[in-house]
């Protein structure tokens, strides 16, 4: 099977995000994509990171409320302190211009699907639905992010290990949080079984697991991305969006002899992927990584320095670019459950449409560029040698 066809796809409720950024402006005020017919509707390329966005949850809208909270940071400076209604109408006009009727209809149906679940499902642990760093995270992780602005980046670096290029691991979740989340997912699946409610699975490759966003954890995971994963991405993944991550797909996957056993070689539909083992007792299930590739080079060979296998430990996280090719080996006994957060950047995705050739985050693109450079240098040396009338024993290396 071609790896292109094995790209994991999550739910598509965030589709309008990727289309909206055609109105994003660069530093000169020019659109990165086709400008809207009313050119006054523009977003900034870089968000105001210090701006506290309004909450839009109470508005009955055709787009997800979290999308408006994310986009608000990209508004022109003169609008950041405008009334919520003014900002809402401004952003809605942009979104309507860059999303199709079909996308809006699909988005509305998915919101109705989520609302039906949330209205009927009774959570087991309501404290899981609001981000509480002191009870969710291990002390080392929480302490690193609590450092002052001047020292925060270095503090975050200090808790990270890089066992392979572009792959970072760190201790993240407390055992009590892992146990509670496992119980919450089991409770949700029990409700699904008893009510015979038909749910959407995390993606096309996993037949087991649950989308956490769909039963009420969307806001909690959004804060996790905004307040923690964005900072990690800014330090380690500037080439695929950095701090501009603005949407997510959060879910839990299940592996075992009576569940999904393994996961084939693939890339994620994300810019940055967070993967945290929750437990339980299991053997096997190692992740294997085989290098970062763009769409053009996704099926190219793996080089020795790109080979890395990662063994899961409950509470320990691994974070990597979504385009880092990977898979999961068979879980040979017990049951393994992992929390995944696919983080996406609408700005990066829009800008990527205009990058037709070299992509600095693709290892194969870099190799091809180096090969072309070497050929150019060699050709120039030969040209100079011939012009001097001495082509004898020249070694072009």
């Amino acid at each position: 099977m071609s790896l292109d066809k094995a790209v994991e796809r999550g739910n598509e409720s965030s589709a309008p995000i990727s289309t909206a950024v055609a109105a994003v402006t660069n530093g000169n005020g020019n659109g990165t994509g086709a400008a809207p017919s009313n050119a006054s509707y523009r977003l900034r390329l870089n968000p105001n990171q210090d701006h506290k966005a309004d909450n839009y949850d109470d508005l009955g809208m055709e787009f997800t409320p979290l999308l408006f909270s994310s986009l608000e940071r990209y508004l022109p400076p003169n609008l950041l302190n405008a009334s919520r209604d003014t900002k809402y109408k401004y952003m809605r006009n942009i979104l309507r211009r860059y999303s199709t009727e079909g996308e809006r209809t699909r988005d509305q149906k998915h919101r109705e699907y989520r609302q039906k679940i949330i209205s009927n499902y009774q959570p087991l642990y309501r404290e899981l639905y609001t981000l509480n760093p002191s009870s969710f995270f291990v002390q080392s992780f929480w302490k690193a992010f609590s450092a002052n602005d001047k020292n925060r980046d270095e503090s975050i670096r200090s808790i990270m290990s890089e066992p392979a290029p572009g792959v970072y691991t760190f201790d993240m979740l407390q055992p009590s949080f892992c146990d509670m989340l496992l119980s919450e997912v089991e409770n949700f699946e029990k409700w699904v079984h008893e009510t015979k409610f038909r749910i959407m699975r995390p993606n096309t490759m996993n037949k087991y697991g649950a989308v956490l966003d769909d039963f009420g954890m969307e806001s909690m995971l959004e804060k996790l991305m905004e307040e923690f994963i964005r900072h990690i991405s800014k330090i380690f993944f500037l080439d695929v969006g950095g701090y501009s991550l603005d949407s997510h797909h959060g879910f839990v996957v299940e592996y075992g002899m009576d569940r999904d056993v393994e996961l084939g070689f693939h890339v994620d539909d994300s810019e940055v992927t967070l993967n945290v083992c929750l437990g339980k007792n299991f053997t096997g299930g190692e992740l294997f990584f085989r290098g970062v590739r763009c769409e053009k080079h996704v099926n190219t060979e793996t080089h020795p320095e790109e080979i890395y296998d990662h063994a899961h430990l409950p509470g320990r996280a691994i974070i990597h670019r979504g385009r880092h090719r990977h898979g999961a080996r068979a879980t040979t006994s017990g049951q393994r459950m992992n929390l995944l957060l696919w983080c996406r950047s609408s700005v990066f995705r829009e800008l990527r449409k205009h990058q037709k050739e070299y992509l600095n985050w693709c290892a194969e693109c870099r190799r091809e560029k180096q090969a072309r450079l070497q050929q150019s240098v060699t050709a120039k040396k030969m040209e100079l040698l011939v012009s001097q009338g001495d082509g004898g024993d020249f070694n072009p290396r």
Side-chain angles (χ1 to χ4, degrees):
M1 172 196 259
S2 168
L3 186 55
D4 284 316
K5 296 180 181 178
V7 174
E8 291 189 286
R9 298 294 178 189
N11 71 65
E12 298 182 353
S13 63
S14 61
I17 297 177
S18 61
T19 55
V21 293
V24 173
T25 62
N26 60 26
N28 298 319
N30 299 316
T32 58
S37 56
N38 183 343
S40 64
Y41 288 107
R42 299 282 184 131
L43 298 175
R44 293 169 56 86
L45 177 61
N46 298 309
N48 184 323
Q49 298 175 1
D50 298 324
H51 176 70
K52 184 174 177 58
D54 280 323
N55 186 300
Y56 296 86
D57 288 345
D58 61 317
L59 298 180
M61 299 180 292
E62 60 200 271
F63 302 100
T64 177
L66 285 173
L67 175 56
F68 286 86
S69 296
S70 295
L71 281 182
E72 185 176 320
R73 295 181 175 87
Y74 293 88
L75 288 175
N78 62 308
L79 278 177
L80 287 176
N81 296 317
S83 69
R84 186 180 70 158
D85 185 60
T86 298
K87 291 183 287 190
Y88 161 65
K89 290 178 179 178
Y90 186 95
M91 291 184 286
R92 183 190 61 187
N93 285 337
I94 290 176
L95 291 169
R96 282 179 173 176
R97 292 178 186 277
Y98 293 99
S99 64
T100 66
E101 184 65 31
E103 287 174 331
R104 293 198 294 272
T105 299
R106 183 181 62 231
D107 208 41
Q108 177 62 31
K109 287 182 178 179
H110 195 84
R111 282 197 303 277
E112 293 170 357
Y113 160 81
R114 283 186 176 178
Q115 189 56 47
K116 189 173 182 180
I117 293 176
I118 293 170
S119 298
N120 291 279
Y121 172 66
Q122 296 299 315
L124 185 64
Y125 296 109
R126 291 193 177 275
E127 56 266 42
L128 290 175
Y129 294 73
T130 302
L131 186 66
N132 186 344
S134 62
S135 62
F136 284 17
F137 305 136
V138 297
Q139 186 177 11
S140 59
F141 183 83
W142 175 225
K143 185 178 179 180
F145 283 87
S146 300
N148 59 47
D149 291 344
K150 182 179 179 180
N151 300 320
R152 184 175 298 147
D153 286 5
E154 190 56 39
S155 182
I156 293 172
R157 288 179 186 275
S158 71
I159 65 169
M160 298 284 177
S161 297
E162 188 179 10
V167 177
Y168 300 90
T169 63
F170 51 97
D171 293 325
M172 183 178 182
L173 299 178
Q174 293 187 23
S176 58
F177 174 84
C178 294
D179 291 342
M180 289 171 66
L181 185 54
L182 287 172
S183 297
E184 188 70 48
V185 172
E186 289 175 356
N187 188 60
F188 174 68
E189 292 188 334
K190 179 182 177 183
W191 174 81
V192 169
H193 178 74
E194 291 175 348
T195 60
K196 295 180 171 55
F197 192 94
R198 187 176 179 181
I199 63 170
M200 299 178 186
R201 294 301 178 182
N203 51 67
T204 58
M205 297 185 74
N206 287 98
K207 296 179 182 178
Y208 295 89
V211 179
L212 299 178
D213 298 316
D214 287 348
F215 61 94
M217 294 191 181
E218 183 181 23
S219 295
M220 183 272 284
L221 294 173
E222 187 78 6
K223 284 187 176 296
L224 172 61
M225 181 191 73
E226 290 184 349
E227 297 179 11
F228 297 92
I229 308 307
R230 269 183 179 172
H231 287 284
I232 297 174
S233 181
K234 179 189 70 173
I235 298 170
F236 298 111
F237 305 119
L238 273 174
D239 53 359
V240 292
Y243 199 81
S244 70
L245 301 176
D246 56 15
S247 68
H248 75 272
H249 175 49
F251 55 97
V252 166
V253 291
E254 302 176 46
Y255 294 91
M257 300 309 293
D258 60 343
R259 294 287 189 268
D260 291 318
V261 176
E262 59 187 4
L263 191 64
F265 196 41
H266 66 280
V267 295
D268 297 335
D269 184 16
S270 69
E271 272 60 76
V272 175
T273 293
L274 173 74
N275 185 340
V276 194
C277 180
L278 300 174
K280 308 175 181 178
N281 296 317
F282 61 90
T283 57
E286 299 86 358
L287 289 178
F288 58 92
F289 289 86
R290 298 295 184 263
V292 182
R293 297 291 189 274
C294 64
E295 290 87 343
K296 177 183 176 182
H297 297 119
V298 72
N299 290 308
T300 56
E301 65 177 310
T302 299
H303 298 268
E305 66 275 12
E306 296 177 318
I307 297 174
Y308 170 62
D309 285 15
H310 171 77
H312 291 287
L313 290 173
R316 191 161 178 82
I318 184 167
I319 192 167
H320 57 86
R321 292 171 181 82
R323 295 294 308 187
H324 205 136
R325 302 179 301 177
H326 62 286
R329 302 193 189 284
T331 298
T332 53
S333 69
Q335 187 177 9
R336 176 172 68 85
M337 296 180 68
N338 282 55
L339 163 66
L340 283 102
L341 193 67
W342 286 356
C343 302
R344 299 157 175 162
S345 166
S346 54
V347 172
F348 173 77
R349 293 189 174 206
E350 181 64 25
L351 295 176
R352 194 174 68 180
K353 294 177 184 178
H354 306 282
Q355 291 179 289
K356 302 302 183 183
E357 296 181 1
Y358 172 68
L359 298 170
N360 64 346
W361 48 267
C362 172
E364 203 60 32
C365 280
R366 293 198 302 270
R367 288 189 186 90
E368 289 185 353
K369 182 178 181 180
Q370 185 62 36
R372 289 195 298 269
L373 179 61
Q374 184 62 46
Q375 290 172 358
S376 176
V377 170
T378 300
K380 187 63 176 178
K381 287 181 177 179
M382 292 296 294
E383 180 183 336
L384 291 172
L385 190 59
V386 170
S387 67
Q388 293 171 0
D390 182 9
D393 299 323
F394 175 67
N395 184 344
R397 292 187 178 184

